[in-house]
Structure formats: C-alpha cells, structure tokens
Amino acid sequence: MSTIPERLADLRKKMAENGIDYYIVPTADFHQDEYVGEHFKARVFITGFTGSAGTAMISMDDGRLWTDGRYFIQAGKQLEGTTVQLMKMYEPGYPSLSEFLEEKLQAGQTIGFDGRVVSMDEGTEYAAVAEKKHCNIKYDVDLIDEIWNDRPPMSDKPAWELPVKYAGKTAADKIADIRGKMAEAGADVHVETTPDDICWTLNIRGDDIDYFPLLLSYAIITPEDYHLYVDDAKLSDEIKGHLAELGVTLHPYNDVYEDVKGISADHIVMLDPHKVNYALYSNIPAEVAKVNCMSPEECFKTVKNPVEIENIKKAELKDSVAHIRFMKWLKENVGKIKITEISASDKLDEFRKEMGNYIKPSFEPISSYAEHAAIVHYAPTPETDVELKPEGMLLTDTGAGFWEGSTDITRTYVLGPITQQMKDDFTLVAISNLSLGNAVFTYGVTGVAVDNLARNPFWKRRMNFNHGTGHGVGYLLNIHESPASFRSRFIEGDTAIMEEGMVITDEPGFYREGSHGIRLENELLVCKDETNEFGQFMHLEPITWIPFDLDAINPDLMSVEEKQMLNDYHKLVYDVTSPYLNDEEKDWLKKYTRAI
C-alpha cells in the first residue's frame, strides 16, 4: 500500500500534466453528502485524515487540510508524517481556503477540482477568487481517480420502500407540496441533487452509504413531470411500479449532466446552492434564469409530521430502555469480564436488537474510553480498541435506525474511581445540557439565539466546547439534518427558525486532551407553548430518557434550580421507562434517578 507522501507525489505529476497549480479535494460525493461511500473517500485517500468533514488543498510544494474543531486532535495525529498541514477552521490565525488561495495565487495559475464533488456555492467562490487574481478554473478533472488504482466501486445495493405508516405522508402529497413551493418561487424546473431529499419525497431508502439509508440519485421536477436519475438495477419491480404510478420517469444515473444542458431559456430553475454540485450547475445554460434557495424538500422534512413524531418517540423509548440495560450491565461487569471499546458498543447494539424493528446503527459508533474520549469523533478500530478498566469513564455516542426512526444518543458512564476534576467537568456538561433542554423562547428565533443557554455555564468559567451544540435528526436519513441546529455561529444554510415538530439534539461536551472527554446528548422536540399578549412561546421537550450518571455529579457545583432540573429530568426518565423494565432493573434505575 502506498504512503501518503507517495500518493501526493503521484497527484502532483498529474497536476503538472494538466497544468494545475492548486488541486482541491473535498469530503463530499456528487451529492454533497456529509458522509460518503468508500468510492468517494478521496480526501481520506490523499491525506490519511478519516474525519467526516474537511477539505484538502494540494499545490506543487504544499499540502493543507481545513477541518473544524471536532477534529483538531484527530487530524493532528492522523496528519503526522504526511507533510499535510492542519488548518483549523474558524480559529484566529488560520485563513479560510478561499482566503489562502487569494493570498497565494499568481496571475495565470490554475485551480483544479472535480466539479461533481464541489458545491455550487463553493465552486463559484473559487471561480471568483480565480477571476480576481487573473487565474483559471479547471473543474472537469478527477485526478484522484487517475492515481487511485484500487478505488472501491460505487455501491450497487438495492433500494427499499418506507411504508406510509412510518413516513406519515404519501409521496404524491409530498410532490404536490414541492410543486406548490416551486410555483411560489416562480420556478418551473427544480433540480434536486440531495439523496436524503429525494428519498424523503419518494418514501424510498437505499444502502449506498454505510449507516445512512440513502439512494444515490438526482431529480428534475417540473409542474407535470418527475424525472429520477438513478441506477435502476437497485430498484425492484414493485418499487418501479409504485414510481410509475406517481408519474416518475427513470433515467440512467449520469444522464442528468447532459439533460440539464437542454433546459431552455424560457424556464426558471430552482437550485439549492449548498447542495447542487458545481459541474451540474455549470452545465445549465448561462442564459437560463435561476432561483437560488434552500430546497423545498429540506424545509419540509426538517419539520416532522405527527405520524413521524409519534414513531420517533417510540424509537427513542426503545433506545432509552436499551441504554438503561446497557448502563446497568456495564457498571456491574466492568473489571469482571473483558470489555473493550468495540465490544461495549456491540453489547449496546444487542440490547437495541432485543427491542424489535431494529435495522442497523444510524451512524458510525463512537465508543471511547479515558483519553480517547477527548478526541471528539474518535471511533475505535481493531488497532486502537482498548480494554475498559474499573476506573475512569466511557463515552458512547451511538445511534440506532429503527423502522420507527433514527436515534442519536450520547452518554458518559463512570466505570470506577474518577478524579474531582472529572466530576466537576461532568457536572458542568450536565448543567449545560439541562439549561438548553429547559429553554422557553418566543417563536421566530433560531438555534443560534438559544445556543448561549448551553454555553453560558462554560463561558462564565471562561471555558468552551469546540463544536456545535445540536443538529437536526433525519427520519431514517442523514443523522445530521440541516437546517435545524443549535450553534454559536450563524452558518448560512444550516440555521433555521425553530419550528414546532423539529427534532434537534442537545449535546454539549468538554474535552481535556490526554485525560478524558465528556458529552451528554438528548434529542429535543420543539413544541408550541402558550400564546399571550407577548406572542407565541415555544419550549423544548426531551424525548431521550436515560439517566445522567449520578456517580459523576458534584451537587456542590449546582444551584438549587439546576438540581431541580436534574431531579425533574430523572423523575421523567423513571416514569417513562420503568413500565418496560423488570423488577431488578427498576430497583437499579431508582438508584440512578434518585433526587439529589
């Protein structure tokens, strides 16, 4: 197997042959998916960094990787010896990729990238920099493919249908709603490139990306027609029949790039600039009028319908009961039998399977013991898997895909003696989680406005955590679902007004490199509260019912109000889950939900 420096040398030879001075390699596939199939892990191939977010830039004498705070520790370790330098996004002293290019580019030089894996807004930003510096853009070259000799093939796994009893709405009604939004925007063609939007619309799912039940596909929607671009070998005759009943016309997957060239100037095309890739955008004739906006599908699916909400609560109840049984098992068996990071995660999934209607994990499990937990998105491998000892803490950030919906839950468990510092850090994270989970606010605010409730306990102590506080959750789709979120910074396309029916995670954390990491994550349902002379109020309802480990709580750090929030939450945990536990489990849970 070649080394990263050897791969970089091969890439630079191809760059020289193509007259390219700077070559950009993002994380995405052709659809701007956050997580991608093995075929699309070009950035991993060329840098060695395996995190879910990051963009590499390679020049003839330099290599750099931009990623966010979740991955600073992981990237720092994985880039050692590769010659690729870490660029810490949003940190002082680190320019963005566009700023870096603007500083370094010389007149006449060329920026290159595969336009299919770069979004429209990113590509136009690079093009603007190139124009400003009197440089060129070359977006029709996949140089990684030319040097990746054993590149995995694209997925050929079959698609499957999600019945309306889970989806809550027919595909025909969803298509009608989309066309209504097109008409409001004055568009008569909608180019849709996001698999989770398409899967949500058509009530189908696939297995083209590990953990995420997505079907790689494109769609072109008009007031009369729905054109689906997909490898139809993945579709059963039954699915094809249902699609035909909807008026869906099937086309070969890659034909969309030629078909958009035929859109005439008398049409108005709706595009999501964060999702449509730059190559597809560039193939639409320049004279065609375009409406750039968030796709209607994304706006619709982030607000769960009543059937979805009831199903999601069932999935959360199943996962909560599984977690309680896992927590009990873990505390009673650590140090008595061999348990590792991986085997602990596997055991949790065993408890989940016992709950029924389990499909598969909803994302790659994070099971991290001791100092591994300080790496925010650490995922154990056979090489890094360590045995748990009856001391310290285990962080598990895992999720399940049930037919009733997807879950995303993080808990940090005490396995034995821990330091006072660990207790204090854990208590601070618990206060942060509860403070956000008990938020009440007026309608019209975004997650940025209430994120400070989670960060204030940290900020008052001149501390912080370097990741978002929460994200929307897809229904058997992407576990990170835009645009719902809690975050301290406004990010266009990933910040929305909080609407009744949104499901958003609440997951503050704190990490001490080389020692420990703590994160506590609940899913919250956005609900309407009372309406009075001051307006429509909203509140957040926790739909995850698992104790915060009282073995790590320092009550002396908590105010009376904070203790009451914890006690109220633990009473809710017991009341909701105890009917599904046996007597021994109930007695154990009473101890871990006792009032402090």
Side-chain angles (χ1 to χ4, degrees):
M1 181 182 293
S2 59
T3 65
I4 298 302
E6 288 171 338
R7 295 173 186 176
L8 289 168
D10 291 341
L11 175 59
R12 287 177 174 125
K13 289 178 183 176
K14 293 295 181 182
M15 290 168 60
E17 291 172 9
N18 286 270
I20 292 172
D21 301 281
Y22 293 88
Y23 193 72
I24 298 170
V25 186
T27 298
D29 57 16
F30 300 158
H31 308 274
Q32 302 306 302
D33 289 310
E34 179 183 9
Y35 295 92
V36 300
E38 294 299 319
H39 176 83
F40 292 102
K41 293 184 178 179
R43 191 219 62 223
V44 177
F45 173 82
I46 203 62
T47 67
F49 168 61
T50 59
S52 68
T55 301
M57 187 285 305
I58 310 301
S59 67
M60 286 301 178
D61 56 4
D62 191 14
R64 301 189 181 230
L65 172 83
W66 278 260
T67 192
D68 62 57
R70 295 172 296 170
Y71 295 112
F72 290 166
I73 297 174
Q74 177 182 341
K77 293 179 184 296
Q78 291 183 326
L79 294 179
E80 290 178 0
T82 65
T83 74
V84 178
Q85 299 179 54
L86 173 61
M87 302 294 284
K88 298 181 178 181
M89 292 172 64
Y90 313 122
E91 293 295 305
Y94 290 92
S96 68
L97 175 51
S98 293
E99 290 168 343
F100 181 85
L101 287 170
E102 186 169 340
E103 178 186 343
K104 297 293 184 180
L105 277 170
Q106 301 297 314
Q109 290 188 316
T110 298
I111 303 171
F113 52 84
D114 178 356
R116 297 171 300 174
V117 296
V118 170
S119 70
M120 169 185 158
D121 56 353
E122 290 170 334
T124 51
E125 186 175 337
Y126 301 147
V129 171
E131 183 178 8
K132 183 176 181 179
K133 300 291 287 190
H134 305 288
C135 294
N136 308 300
I137 286 284
K138 193 168 188 176
Y139 68 86
D140 58 352
V141 282
D142 183 359
L143 298 186
I144 300 295
D145 192 62
E146 296 184 27
I147 64 172
W148 193 352
N149 296 324
D150 57 349
R151 187 172 196 170
M154 291 180 64
S155 167
D156 60 359
K157 294 179 181 178
W160 41 282
E161 291 191 83
L162 186 69
V164 174
K165 68 177 181 178
Y166 298 118
K169 195 167 189 175
T170 67
D173 287 341
K174 292 177 179 180
I175 293 171
D177 289 343
I178 292 165
R179 286 176 172 146
K181 287 296 183 182
M182 290 169 58
E184 287 179 18
D188 57 0
V189 178
H190 173 34
V191 176
E192 177 57 79
T193 66
T194 312
D196 61 317
D197 287 348
I198 295 168
C199 288
W200 173 85
T201 301
L202 300 177
N203 288 341
I204 57 176
R205 300 294 189 268
D207 283 303
D208 288 342
I209 301 174
D210 288 344
Y211 304 108
F212 303 94
L214 302 177
L215 177 67
L216 296 185
S217 51
Y218 308 90
I220 297 178
I221 307 164
T222 71
E224 297 83 24
D225 302 302
Y226 192 113
H227 299 275
L228 179 64
Y229 295 80
V230 66
D231 177 0
D232 68 356
K234 300 175 183 178
L235 307 180
S236 67
D237 289 341
E238 184 177 14
I239 291 176
K240 289 178 181 178
H242 290 167
L243 293 176
E245 292 171 4
L246 289 169
V248 174
T249 303
L250 299 178
H251 302 269
Y253 176 65
N254 285 312
D255 280 11
V256 67
Y257 289 93
E258 285 301 314
D259 286 0
V260 296
K261 293 179 181 178
I263 299 174
S264 61
D266 57 346
H267 290 292
I268 299 174
V269 177
M270 174 185 283
L271 300 169
D272 186 334
H274 302 293
K275 302 294 185 180
V276 172
N277 70 52
Y278 186 72
L280 194 58
Y281 160 72
S282 298
N283 280 7
I284 299 172
E287 63 270 18
V288 173
K290 301 171 182 70
V291 176
N292 296 334
C293 62
M294 185 177 293
S295 71
E297 296 91 327
E298 187 163 6
C299 298
F300 288 135
K301 77 177 189 298
T302 192
V303 176
K304 304 325 184 217
N305 64 53
V307 172
E308 289 176 315
I309 290 171
E310 287 308 306
N311 282 330
I312 290 168
K313 287 182 177 179
K314 292 175 184 177
E316 286 290 329
L317 176 58
K318 289 181 178 184
D319 213 355
S320 296
V321 171
H323 269 80
I324 289 168
R325 289 174 174 156
F326 171 75
M327 181 180 176
K328 178 177 183 292
W329 171 86
L330 182 67
K331 285 180 172 288
E332 292 176 346
N333 288 281
V334 66
K336 299 176 182 177
I337 62 175
K338 183 176 181 180
I339 306 174
T340 70
E341 292 170 324
I342 291 177
S343 70
S345 178
D346 290 344
K347 185 67 176 180
L348 176 53
D349 280 342
E350 286 181 24
F351 285 118
R352 284 169 161 148
K353 291 172 186 175
E354 292 172 359
M355 302 307 299
N357 267 359
Y358 175 84
I359 300 173
K360 63 180 180 179
S362 58
F363 57 94
E364 183 178 25
I366 295 170
S367 179
S368 44
Y369 175 60
E371 66 269 19
H372 281 171
I375 304 171
V376 180
H377 273 206
Y378 165 88
T381 66
E383 294 75 29
T384 65
D385 190 26
V386 295
E387 184 173 354
L388 311 187
K389 300 176 183 179
E391 61 185 31
M393 296 183 291
L394 173 72
L395 186 157
T396 70
D397 184 347
T398 64
F402 295 101
W403 280 95
E404 292 86 358
S406 303
T407 66
D408 183 0
I409 296 169
T410 308
R411 285 296 183 268
T412 304
Y413 299 120
V414 175
L415 305 185
I418 59 173
T419 66
Q420 189 62 47
Q421 180 73 74
M422 291 175 179
K423 278 194 173 185
D424 292 350
D425 290 346
F426 185 102
T427 304
L428 182 56
V429 174
I431 292 170
S432 171
N433 178 289
L434 293 164
S435 298
L436 176 57
N438 282 273
V440 177
F441 48 93
T442 54
Y443 176 76
V445 307
T446 71
V448 174
V450 295
D451 180 87
N452 72 90
L453 294 173
R455 292 188 190 269
N456 234 15
F458 289 93
W459 288 346
K460 285 191 295 187
R461 295 165 174 84
R462 306 306 186 264
M463 299 159 67
N464 198 15
F465 53 92
N466 204 352
H467 56 73
T469 308
H471 56 83
V473 180
Y475 191 113
L476 286 177
L477 294 166
N478 286 329
I479 202 65
H480 294 165
E481 184 176 84
S482 297
S485 68
F486 298 121
R487 58 176 70 252
S488 59
R489 299 183 183 93
F490 180 85
I491 297 179
E492 187 178 357
D494 200 22
T495 309
I497 289 174
M498 298 176 66
E499 301 280 358
E500 180 184 24
M502 286 181 170
V503 175
I504 314 176
T505 65
D506 171 7
E507 49 180 313
F510 192 70
Y511 314 91
R512 293 190 185 273
E513 186 172 357
S515 176
H516 61 275
I518 298 156
R519 190 161 60 252
L520 298 171
E521 176 183 21
N522 287 345
E523 289 188 15
L524 305 174
L525 177 67
V526 181
C527 302
K528 280 187 177 178
D529 204 279
E530 68 174 83
T531 303
N532 58 31
E533 67 269 30
F534 302 105
Q536 172 67 60
F537 283 82
M538 313 290 287
H539 71 266
L540 301 172
E541 175 188 329
I543 55 173
T544 301
W545 304 285
I546 306 163
F548 291 164
D549 194 341
L550 290 176
D551 293 338
I553 289 289
N554 177 6
D556 294 338
L557 287 184
M558 304 180 77
S559 68
V560 172
E561 181 184 8
E562 289 161 353
K563 291 177 185 177
Q564 190 61 54
M565 288 193 298
L566 179 60
N567 292 340
D568 289 346
Y569 176 66
H570 276 167
K571 182 180 185 303
L572 179 67
V573 167
Y574 187 85
D575 290 346
V576 171
T577 63
S578 59
Y580 303 90
L581 303 174
N582 62 36
D583 289 342
E584 180 185 343
E585 292 165 342
K586 288 178 185 177
D587 288 341
W588 180 90
L589 183 60
K590 284 180 183 178
K591 174 185 175 183
Y592 280 96
T593 56
R594 67 189 184 276
I596 63 168

